[in-house]
Amino acid sequence: MTRTREAVLALLQRTRQPLSATEIFDRLHQEKVAIDLVTVYRTVHVLKELGLVLQLDLHQEGLSRYELKEGRKHHHHIRCQICGQIVDLLLCPLKKVTKLIEQQTQFIVDDHTLEFTGLCPQCQ
Amino acid sequence: MTRTREAVLALLQRTRQPLSATEIFDRLHQEKVAIDLVTVYRTVHVLKELGLVLQLDLHQEGLSRYELKEGRKHHHHIRCQICGQIVDLLLCPLKKVTKLIEQQTQFIVDDHTLEFTGLCPQCQ
DNA sequence: ACCTTATTGCAACTTTATTGCAAATACCAT
DNA sequence: ATGGTATTTGCAATAAAGTTGCAATAAGGT
């Protein structure tokens, strides 16, 4: 664990929203932390491998976002199509469905992604 | 409707799997249909606007895929992590959940994406 | 056939992400 | 602390997906 990685981790800890690589880069530079964009990519990759961070690929965003996994329960997201705000959904209705799918398709399911989009209260 | 657009549409009609822009380009060229990659992108965009085609952004693929919407019911997908095969799931367990989310978050939900990944019968 | 409008191809460009390599930093044993 | 090894970082170059501007071509109506 280097100071650069600590800085990325600390940023993710104090940020509610899942951040993209560019956002991590920009925010750290605002805080006078010198970090290369390549290092951001490599760092989130390492943190993901270590199981500390989750990678999110939200529909039609065309980029990856990263959020802290540490101590968080399995959850999903809803994104506002106007302002881009991302809110956590502390539910998952897919346990039974997963079993049904395994029966119907003969796949072994090992993951799923679920995301909602819509209009947040402010943008309605 | 031009012959180029007909060719893309016809390809999507006879293909089971959702295709990426590059795949559409490659397959049409194999069939001696001269089409520019840019035109593929513009065509699928138009077909999407017309409501004929659905855009899929599957998790961690890093590209968009397109499938025919025409006459198909709302559905989701499961993708094999080994061979990349994509199979349709003719179910959607999210109607009640959507209402719950609208109550909890005050968002107006207008869409969702749901995708499963795992191992297909052949790759297990 | 003619004229207008929409579509296509080419080239250049944008954005997100990855790779190679040399320099800098962290870690460990002494 | 000091030195040596392995890891990490920054820079430059590159890759891949997708977009934009513009001139040339094709489509459609009268």
Side-chain angles (χ1 to χ4, degrees):
Chain A
M1 259 311 150
T2 64
R3 60 192 58 170
T4 321
R5 290 180 181 176
E6 297 279 9
V8 174
L9 207 52
L11 175 63
L12 290 173
Q13 270 158 0
R14 86 182 88 97
T15 310
R16 302 140 200 77
Q17 297 264 113
L19 299 176
S20 69
T22 317
E23 285 170 351
I24 293 170
F25 176 84
D26 289 341
R27 294 198 187 197
L28 289 180
H29 276 254
Q30 278 170 22
E31 301 170 13
K32 311 290 180 199
V33 177
I35 187 172
D36 194 84
L37 185 56
V38 176
T39 306
V40 174
Y41 280 109
R42 287 194 274 227
T43 301
V44 290
H45 183 257
V46 168
L47 295 176
K48 186 183 153 196
E49 295 297 301
L50 291 172
L52 297 175
V53 155
L54 286 172
Q55 180 176 353
L56 268 68
D57 299 293
L58 299 188
H59 189 240
Q60 289 185 334
E61 279 213 311
L63 51 76
S64 290
R65 295 184 172 277
Y66 304 89
E67 71 176 357
L68 219 67
K69 185 177 182 179
E70 187 192 2
R72 303 205 55 195
K73 277 169 59 175
H74 175 72
H75 63 282
H76 296 289
H77 301 89
I78 184 165
R79 195 181 88 249
C80 177
Q81 289 192 332
I82 306 297
C83 69
Q85 168 188 188
I86 297 163
V87 175
D88 291 341
L89 301 171
L90 303 172
L91 52 79
C92 180
L94 299 175
K95 278 139 207 160
K96 289 175 192 162
V97 179
T98 298
K99 285 185 184 163
L100 188 63
I101 290 167
E102 291 188 324
Q103 285 171 15
Q104 285 184 358
T105 63
Q106 302 298 313
F107 270 63
I108 296 172
V109 175
D110 59 24
D111 200 13
H112 64 250
T113 60
L114 172 61
E115 179 207 343
F116 293 82
T117 52
L119 301 175
C120 75
Q122 293 79 43
C123 292
Q124 282 169 25
Chain B
M1 260 309 150
T2 64
R3 60 193 59 172
T4 321
R5 289 181 182 176
E6 297 278 10
V8 174
L9 207 51
L11 174 62
L12 290 173
Q13 269 159 359
R14 87 182 87 98
T15 311
R16 303 141 200 75
Q17 298 264 113
L19 299 176
S20 69
T22 316
E23 285 171 352
I24 293 170
F25 175 86
D26 289 342
R27 294 198 186 197
L28 289 180
H29 275 253
Q30 278 169 22
E31 301 169 13
K32 313 289 180 198
V33 177
I35 187 172
D36 194 86
L37 184 57
V38 176
T39 306
V40 174
Y41 279 109
R42 287 194 274 227
T43 301
V44 291
H45 183 256
V46 168
L47 294 176
K48 186 183 153 194
E49 295 298 301
L50 291 172
L52 296 175
V53 155
L54 286 173
Q55 181 177 353
L56 268 67
D57 299 293
L58 299 188
H59 189 240
Q60 290 185 331
E61 278 214 311
L63 50 76
S64 289
R65 297 184 171 277
Y66 304 89
E67 70 175 359
L68 219 67
K69 184 176 181 180
E70 186 192 3
R72 304 205 55 197
K73 277 169 60 175
H74 175 72
H75 63 283
H76 297 287
H77 301 89
I78 184 164
R79 194 181 88 249
C80 177
Q81 289 191 330
I82 307 295
C83 70
Q85 169 188 186
I86 297 163
V87 174
D88 292 341
L89 301 172
L90 303 172
L91 52 78
C92 180
L94 299 175
K95 278 139 205 157
K96 288 176 193 163
V97 179
T98 298
K99 285 185 184 161
L100 188 63
I101 289 167
E102 290 188 325
Q103 285 170 16
Q104 285 184 358
T105 63
Q106 303 297 314
F107 270 62
I108 296 171
V109 175
D110 58 24
D111 200 12
H112 63 250
T113 61
L114 172 61
E115 179 208 344
F116 293 82
T117 51
L119 300 175
C120 75
Q122 294 79 45
C123 293
Q124 283 171 23

